[in-house]
């Protein structure tokens, strides 16, 4: 059965790539707009274009608050969303279909019950949100500025889609699904001390390369660090060499190797 399914999927993908490939001119504009994409090798870019084409075929985009999602917007999101799974495969995103794009940040109403049973209501400003088993929400204002924001290690698309990878084992805990106990132990042995050290720096008011938002919880630290790994890889490697090595092994990529 597995062989039949794989052959069927391969035929379907071939049809999509033949009929709905991202046009050359549109792909070129996307790379020009986001230099951290253009910095990748020719081999990586060919694989990324292929994966982004399949991503666009499988996902459904919708605009909120009157926003019309154009081809350029969809391709920009698809290309960035596919970076984390360039070597892992699109199956990592199989748990959802919808991508909701808002013109700008969204004010979300939150309700939280603390340990004493007291209910707290507050508003949270969101540039993006990944819902477990549900859609991904993105602010187009943040997505569109990703090329300029890369120098700060910031990328909302990568952040939210790495959340999806983290959630793939049923919980967001700062550790994606890993093949065995040894791999999980190694992951914890690197990311937990890095997170604790980062939190101490934030608490002391020190300037950090990574967004201080990553100190909120380790499940936020992972995607915050992953953003920098992909869009500012050389700087990330200088500041967090052990994390860089850990991520390079998990994502099966070495983005600093080709970054200028």
């Amino acid at each position: 059965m597995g062989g039949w399914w794989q052959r069927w999927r391969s035929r379907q993908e071939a049809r999509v790539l033949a009929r709905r490939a991202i046009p050359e001119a549109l792909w070129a504009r996307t790379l020009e707009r986001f230099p951290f994409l253009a910095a990748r090798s020719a081999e990586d870019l060919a694989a990324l274009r292929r994966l982004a084409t399949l991503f666009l075929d499988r996902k459904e985009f919708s605009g909120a608050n009157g926003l019309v999602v154009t081809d350029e917007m969809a391709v920009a999101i698809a290309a960035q969303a596919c970076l984390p799974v360039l070597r892992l495969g699109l199956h990592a995103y199989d748990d959802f279909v919808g991508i909701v794009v808002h013109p700008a940040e969204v004010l979300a109403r939150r309700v939280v019950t603390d340990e004493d049973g007291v209910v707290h209501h507050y508003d949270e400003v969101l540039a993006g949100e990944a819902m477990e088993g549900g859609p991904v929400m993105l602010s187009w204002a943040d997505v569109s500025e990703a090329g300029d924001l890369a120098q700060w290690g910031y990328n909302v698309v990568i952040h939210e889609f790495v959340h999806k990878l983290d959630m793939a084992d049923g919980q967001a805990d700062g550790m994606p699904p890993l093949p065995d106990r040894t791999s999980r132990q190694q992951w914890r042995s690197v990311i937990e001390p890095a997170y604790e050290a980062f939190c101490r720096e934030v608490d002391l008011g020190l300037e950090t390369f990574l967004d201080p938002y990553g100190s909120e919880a380790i499940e936020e630290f992972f995607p915050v660090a992953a953003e920098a790994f992909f869009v500012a890889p050389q700087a990330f490697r200088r500041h967090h060499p052990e994390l860089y090595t850990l991520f390079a092994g998990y994502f099966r990529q070495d983005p600093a190797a080709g970054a200028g």
Side-chain angles (χ1 to χ4, degrees):
M1 179 67 74
W4 170 85
W5 167 254
Q6 188 60 47
R7 289 192 297 273
W8 180 86
R9 173 61 72 90
S10 296
R11 287 195 296 270
Q12 291 294 104
E13 290 182 354
R15 292 190 187 99
V16 171
L17 293 168
R19 299 175 183 174
R20 303 186 63 183
I22 297 170
E24 192 72 46
L26 178 52
W27 185 245
R29 290 197 300 273
T30 303
L31 298 184
E32 182 179 4
R33 185 172 192 173
F34 305 108
F36 59 88
L37 296 178
R40 304 300 288 257
S41 68
E43 179 185 1
D44 279 356
L45 289 177
L48 185 65
R49 185 180 177 187
R50 175 185 180 278
L51 213 59
T53 297
L54 297 173
F55 179 95
L56 290 167
D57 181 65
R58 298 178 190 179
K59 304 305 178 188
E60 295 178 1
F61 288 79
S62 58
N65 298 321
L67 181 70
V68 176
V69 180
T70 65
D71 289 346
E72 292 209 6
M73 294 165 70
V75 170
I77 291 169
Q80 294 174 73
C82 288
L83 257 188
V85 295
L86 187 61
R87 301 285 179 258
L88 302 178
L90 278 182
H91 62 86
Y93 295 155
D94 280 351
D95 74 312
F96 75 102
V97 173
I99 299 169
V100 182
V101 187
H102 288 257
E105 293 176 330
V106 174
L107 192 64
R109 187 65 172 164
R110 302 299 198 199
V111 181
V112 175
T113 304
D114 64 23
E115 296 177 354
D116 298 321
V118 178
V119 179
H120 301 270
H121 298 262
Y122 65 96
D123 293 326
E124 183 178 8
V125 178
L126 301 175
E129 185 173 30
M131 285 155 268
E132 188 172 350
V136 172
M137 183 277 285
L138 297 166
S139 156
W140 175 247
D142 287 74
V143 176
S144 66
E145 296 175 2
D148 293 331
L149 295 172
Q151 63 180 315
W152 308 110
Y154 177 81
N155 187 286
V156 67
V157 178
I158 292 172
H159 183 105
E160 299 308 331
F161 280 84
V162 168
H163 268 309
K164 279 294 188 181
L165 296 180
D166 188 9
M167 294 173 180
D169 58 359
Q171 57 183 338
D173 58 0
M175 183 171 66
L178 295 169
D180 51 50
R181 182 178 179 181
T182 300
S183 299
R184 292 190 290 272
Q185 288 176 334
Q186 180 189 13
W187 185 274
R188 291 192 185 96
S189 72
V190 175
I191 201 168
E192 289 179 358
Y195 170 65
E196 291 165 2
F198 180 69
C199 288
R200 287 194 295 271
E201 293 176 355
V202 173
D203 289 343
L204 290 170
L206 302 178
E207 185 175 346
T208 59
F209 170 65
L210 297 177
D211 187 344
Y213 180 67
S215 66
E216 292 288 316
I218 196 167
E219 59 264 30
E220 292 297 342
F221 181 68
F222 173 34
V224 163
E227 295 173 61
F229 173 79
F230 285 106
V231 304
Q234 291 184 336
F236 180 68
R237 186 173 60 182
R238 287 196 304 271
H239 287 276
H240 298 278
E242 291 186 350
L243 272 180
Y244 185 93
T245 300
L246 182 73
F247 288 0
Y250 168 66
F251 290 110
R252 305 173 201 167
Q253 300 184 51
D254 185 8

